[in-house]
Amino acid sequence: MSRTAPVAPYPVPPDRTARRLEWPFLPANLRAYIERKCGSPVATATSQTSGFTPGFASVLVCEDGSRHFVKAASVKAQRMFADSYREEARKLAALPTGVPAPRLLWHLDDDWVVLGIEHVAARAPHRPWRAGDLDALLDSLEVVADVLTPAPAGLALDTAEADFAPLLDGWESIHRDRTDLDPVRLAEAEALARRYAEVVGGDTLVHTDVRSDNVLIDADGRALLCDWNWPVRGAAWFDSFAALIGPRGEGIDVDGVIAERRLLRDLDPEVLDINLALYVGYFLSQCELPVPPTSPHIRDHQRWQGEVCWDWLSERRSWS
């Protein structure tokens, strides 16, 4: 797996992108509840500082030596994130055992939404991305596509066609604000993006948020997929293609990877270009929105991803 020149350095340290609640600041009655579920008082709590949400997410080490991964958000003070955790619990509970993901052990849905998730002795993928970690992730995504086709019954998932429609909303602002980009090429990219519904449909449960902070590499080198908040029913190849954005931006020859992977190698190149254009419209418009105080690095992350996708699309279409 060869490397190409990176588009630009990733703009923030990938392990320090989140400002999260810490264990001492959870309500005392909630800490006591969590300790009862863990079966022992908490000795140390290590906050997980990757990602882009402010909810509590920590590895708890108890006095009996056991380890637990717990996520929590206040329904009153962090409603959007509590809703996200509630959906994650619902989706995790429905995943078959063959899916490479940490399991949901218990959850609470009250004034706080709390998830007790299987602790896995694992690390995040190396950044910049390395070939071995990317191969492990793509191997696991192929397993996910096999096991989750058809999507589990009873989840009432939105279709990719319906869920992705809002990703088109930012093109007017891109044409207005991105005067540094060729307007003819931007118009071609928008036309491609508007064809997304032709290619993203399917009957696979698609994670939709595959990036390094949602992946763990265990001691056996297997990739586990985390944060199942907002999956949809769509194309089996979708997650494998999305997984290539970060590696492409950090210098890996992902077009060579596509030629080797069974979910991607036989796709019409136009299918991938349409999907890339959809990403361009989403990331290059979202990155110009105000920076939310709960996630100070999200816009830099989106801007970088948008530039990676634009560079990749331009290369694939021979625009540059």
Side-chain angles (χ1 to χ4, degrees), residues 46 56 62 88 105 116 118 143 154 187 200 210 270 272 287 296 300:
T46 303
F56 176 82
C62 293
E88 182 177 5
L105 302 178
E118 173 190 13
V143 172
V200 300
V210 179
E270 191 86 346
L272 301 182
C287 72
D300 289 336

Side-chain angles (χ1 to χ4, degrees), residues 185-228:
R185 300 309 187 195
L186 279 178
E188 292 180 39
E190 180 182 0
L192 280 171
R194 292 194 178 280
R195 294 173 54 196
Y196 82 95
E198 299 173 18
V199 304
V200 300
D203 197 28
T204 299
L205 189 154
V206 179
H207 183 283
T208 75
D209 200 17
V210 179
R211 56 177 196 250
S212 63
D213 57 285
N214 288 339
V215 177
L216 293 172
I217 308 294
D218 71 13
D220 296 324
R222 183 179 65 146
L224 304 176
L225 206 56
C226 308
D227 289 7
W228 293 79

Side-chain angles (χ1 to χ4, degrees), residues 153-165:
L155 278 179
L157 298 172
D158 288 339
T159 64
E161 296 94 322
D163 194 74
F164 297 164

Side-chain angles (χ1 to χ4, degrees):
M1 191 182 299
S2 61
R3 301 187 74 86
T4 59
V7 173
Y10 189 67
V12 292
D15 59 345
R16 294 197 294 277
T17 53
R19 293 179 178 175
R20 297 191 182 276
L21 284 171
E22 301 281 351
W23 174 253
F25 297 101
L26 297 183
N29 64 331
L30 183 61
R31 295 200 307 271
Y33 175 86
I34 293 170
E35 288 181 323
R36 288 195 299 272
K37 297 299 290 185
C38 292
S40 177
V42 170
T44 63
T46 303
S47 184
Q48 305 305 289
T49 53
S50 62
F52 298 95
T53 59
F56 176 82
S58 288
V59 173
L60 307 180
V61 180
C62 293
E63 291 180 0
D64 65 0
S66 62
R67 294 175 180 267
H68 311 262
F69 182 55
V70 176
K71 302 172 76 168
S74 166
V75 172
K76 182 178 295 185
Q78 299 175 304
R79 177 170 295 277
M80 179 173 67
F81 305 108
D83 288 344
S84 174
Y85 285 175
R86 183 179 294 113
E87 281 301 306
E88 182 177 5
R90 189 169 76 89
K91 306 304 181 6
L92 281 175
L95 291 183
T97 56
V99 175
R103 317 315 298 178
L104 178 70
L105 302 178
W106 54 267
H107 81 281
L108 171 71
D109 193 343
D110 197 0
D111 293 338
W112 287 71
V113 177
V114 188
L115 281 64
I117 298 172
E118 173 190 13
H119 175 264
V120 179
R123 60 170 176 83
H126 293 292
R127 299 289 301 274
W129 275 90
R130 299 179 186 176
D133 286 352
L134 179 56
D135 281 339
L137 174 56
L138 293 172
D139 287 346
S140 288
L141 289 174
E142 289 170 3
V143 172
V144 167
D146 291 344
V147 174
L148 295 180
T149 305
L155 278 179
L157 298 172
D158 288 339
T159 64
E161 296 94 322
D163 194 74
F164 297 164
L167 274 61
L168 296 173
D169 291 347
W171 278 102
E172 181 178 354
S173 66
I174 294 172
H175 288 297
R176 181 186 65 241
D177 299 334
R178 291 304 301 262
T179 57
D180 58 313
L181 300 179
D182 184 335
V184 174
R185 300 309 187 195
L186 279 178
E188 292 180 39
E190 180 182 0
L192 280 171
R194 292 194 178 280
R195 294 173 54 196
Y196 82 95
E198 299 173 18
V199 304
V200 300
D203 197 28
T204 299
L205 189 154
V206 179
H207 183 283
T208 75
D209 200 17
V210 179
R211 56 177 196 250
S212 63
D213 57 285
N214 288 339
V215 177
L216 293 172
I217 308 294
D218 71 13
D220 296 324
R222 183 179 65 146
L224 304 176
L225 206 56
C226 308
D227 289 7
W228 293 79
N229 304 80
W230 308 116
V232 301
R233 192 171 71 254
W237 54 264
F238 186 90
D239 283 335
S240 289
F241 188 61
L244 301 180
I245 296 174
R248 157 78 190 195
E250 294 179 336
I252 289 181
D253 173 17
V254 295
D255 288 299
V257 174
I258 288 170
E260 299 171 352
R261 305 305 306 203
R262 64 179 172 89
L263 294 179
L264 300 171
R265 64 192 176 207
D266 295 327
L267 291 173
D268 184 333
E270 191 86 346
V271 169
L272 301 182
D273 290 355
I274 289 169
N275 208 58
L276 264 181
L278 184 68
Y279 291 144
V280 166
Y282 175 71
F283 288 126
L284 290 188
S285 58
Q286 287 292 302
C287 72
E288 300 299 338
L289 297 177
V291 177
T294 56
S295 189
H297 302 297
I298 185 66
R299 303 305 180 211
D300 289 336
H301 167 77
Q302 290 168 332
R303 182 171 292 104
W304 184 80
Q305 296 228 114
E307 297 297 340
V308 170
C309 292
W310 176 257
D311 178 85
W312 190 5
L313 181 62
S314 296
E315 183 180 292
R316 288 176 57 87
R317 306 291 288 190
S318 299
W319 292 345
S320 59

